[in-house]
Amino acid sequence: MESTRSPASLSRSGHRFPDLQGFADVTRFITLTIALSGLQFVWSVETGHGSPYLLSLGLQKSAVSLVWLAGPLSGLITQPLVGFLSDNCTSKLGRRRPYIIGATVSAIVCLTIIGWAREIAGGRQAATVWLAVVAFYVLDFAINCIQASLRAIIVDMLPASRQDDGTTWASRMIGIGNVLGYLMGFLDLPRLLPFLGSTQMQILTTIASVSLSLTVFVTCYYTKEVPITHPSVHASDSFKVFSSLFASLRTLPAAIKQIFRIQFFAWIGWFPFLFYSTTYVADLYVANHGSPDNKAISDEATRAGSLAMFIHAASALVFSIVLPAFTYSAAAVASASSSSPRHHSSTLGNSSSPLLSILRNISNIWHRIQKKVSISLTTIWIISLCVFAVPLFSTAVISTTNSAMVLMGISGFSWAVGIWVPFSLLGEIISSTSGQSADSGHNGGARGNDDYTQVASIDTDVGGIPLETIEQGNSRDDVHFRRSRSGSRGSNISGTTNDEDIIGRELETQDPGKSMSAGTVLGLHNVFVVIPQFLTTLASSLIFALFEYMDRSHPKTEGGQHAKEIGIVLCLGGVSATIGAYQAWKLSRF
């Protein structure tokens, strides 16, 4: 009997509903995105345990802050450059996998050096410190290289109608990596796993290396790329590489530029939150429970800060699982409405079996609920930024650790949306315009996205994720976004603002012979995520220096003063998050 499964488990209106035949899709999405969980685990180990480890080696606090400049520096340089170069890579392994594999090897070497720096340096303190610092710097560059390539390969492998599903699974994998990474902070690893090392850091780096290598292997093994033969720019022409990279920024569609603006303001709020939340919660704990000079109180405060970040990560993971069921994407709606009727019939068939009848009724009820409550990706992004501003502003008035814990949990909602929706919107635009270019015979960018894999045929399951539910003859229709039949700009399938016309207008004005490459666009996107880190670092340093100057003649021994200073920085982040929400609203009105 011919399969009747609807695209992406969507109804005609584009909403998701339970699909008993969707297990294969789930496993394929897992293999495509699982490497992000291993990468995020590595990142959480570095950010959560790197500073205490460097201090234990004898590095001064002022020098530790310079070490963490490696993050924004590597992001500013590596991601756009690797994205552009991988777009033009002609390796037989494909465009992204050579960079993923090479950077993974580098990351594992760096993690090993970090964990055993003292042993490698022969116990010499100066050599140990330099070895660890250099390893951390190289590790940051490797992490950014892997991240840029993994994000790009998701866009490459999926058609526009499945970009939201791909980024949804990516956010879930990031959440899993975060939760596991922060969870390690509560465990006594030398007692539990003594065979992996003698110190906490040695065991953490070993586990991180194993998790990264295994997850990257799964993604690279099951994701097959078609090598390109005619790159637009050769890597040896360095001047042309950089000139083409920045020329791409000037010629990007207006919707992508607006997404960049939103991210710029959003991340001015996110960076101080991620950097200082642990210290903020810990200082509140000290202020409520005793003196910071008390070793036991100090240790408990550190654990309270770690617990707060764990709550944040766990909340984000839960929301990343739940929220996609109540949202819809423009590309999925377009694909569902453009497919032939036979693709929209019930996945449960027409059997008269009582069990199937019950399941069919449950499916229909679930679908009707979703149709009433589902909102668009852009709308939920606006809401998330507004919600994020609330905890940031609240830091100026709260005074208890429990209140701070609640705020951390609330912010998990915004974090789940922030690492999902922007990439979904970018992926849909890139994949859709690349699909048009493929129809026109263009040989660049993310080609051939009408199937889940760039090598397997529509009936092949090995080495990729086939989209067996979209007709090959309708690829052009699948990437065109239609306005509502009523012609009203403000209406859509759920009665909310039709912000999905954003992508439609970009496609209507897109030159058919011109495509956008995923690596280049995502690399440029990261520039607008990284620049706020420099700005927030400078602003927070000035604020902290001002408070230090004011308090110099009146030294304080009680806790809480750092929480007040950090609260001011976070409030400024709240102002920027509010501006980001306004910019997201403007995006919905394009």
Side-chain angles (χ1 to χ4, degrees), residues 45-46 49-50 53 114-115 136 199-206:
V45 168
E46 180 186 10
H49 304 275
Y53 176 69
I114 290 169
F136 271 117
T199 67
Q200 186 87 352
M201 198 63 175
Q202 287 179 353
I203 300 174
L204 281 173
T205 54
T206 300

Side-chain angles (χ1 to χ4, degrees), residues 143-297:
I143 288 174
N144 275 280
C145 180
I146 300 170
Q147 183 179 22
S149 302
L150 289 175
R151 284 291 189 178
I153 205 170
I154 293 174
V155 177
D156 291 345
M157 293 293 105
L158 303 179
S161 60
R162 304 307 296 270
Q163 289 296 324
D164 182 36
D165 296 306
T167 53
T168 295
W169 276 100
S171 68
R172 291 167 180 166
M173 292 299 169
I174 290 173
I176 291 171
N178 257 335
V179 168
L180 293 177
Y182 288 122
L183 182 61
M184 292 296 172
F186 297 103
L187 302 179
D188 185 0
L189 296 180
R191 182 178 64 85
L192 296 174
L193 303 170
F195 55 90
L196 293 180
S198 59
T199 67
Q200 186 87 352
M201 198 63 175
Q202 287 179 353
I203 300 174
L204 281 173
T205 54
T206 300
I207 296 174
S209 298
V210 173
S211 64
L212 180 63
S213 58
L214 290 178
T215 55
V216 165
F217 171 79
V218 171
T219 293
C220 289
Y221 181 79
Y222 287 102
T223 305
K224 309 299 182 183
E225 298 180 272
V226 172
I228 62 172
T229 55
H230 300 91
S232 57
V233 177
H234 290 281
S236 57
D237 192 347
S238 58
F239 176 78
K240 192 173 182 180
V241 166
F242 282 100
S243 62
S244 298
L245 184 62
F246 290 104
S248 300
L249 179 61
R250 295 192 300 269
T251 59
L252 288 176
I256 290 184
K257 291 180 180 179
Q258 186 64 16
I259 292 173
F260 288 177
R261 294 187 191 99
I262 299 168
Q263 288 288 74
F264 175 82
F265 289 107
W267 279 90
I268 289 179
W270 277 118
F271 272 121
F273 177 86
L274 297 173
F275 285 161
Y276 302 122
S277 288
T278 303
T279 305
Y280 175 78
V281 173
D283 205 58
L284 283 179
Y285 186 92
V286 171
N288 286 278
H289 293 83
S291 170
D293 295 329
N294 187 314
K295 181 66 165 58
I297 295 295

Side-chain angles (χ1 to χ4, degrees), residues 90-109:
T90 57
S91 168
K92 293 182 179 180
L93 291 175
R95 293 184 293 170
R96 318 299 179 188
R97 288 187 296 173
Y99 289 88
I100 295 173
I101 295 170
T104 297
V105 172
S106 300
I108 293 172
V109 171

Side-chain angles (χ1 to χ4, degrees), residues 507-548:
L507 293 179
E508 290 172 3
T509 58
Q510 181 75 21
D511 180 358
K514 180 182 179 181
S515 75
M516 293 180 293
S517 297
T520 300
V521 174
L522 294 176
L524 291 172
H525 164 261
N526 193 68
V527 171
F528 287 84
V529 170
V530 167
I531 290 177
Q533 186 168 349
F534 290 102
L535 298 179
T536 54
T537 300
L538 176 61
S540 59
S541 297
L542 292 175
I543 291 173
F544 295 154
L546 177 62
F547 273 90
E548 288 176 0

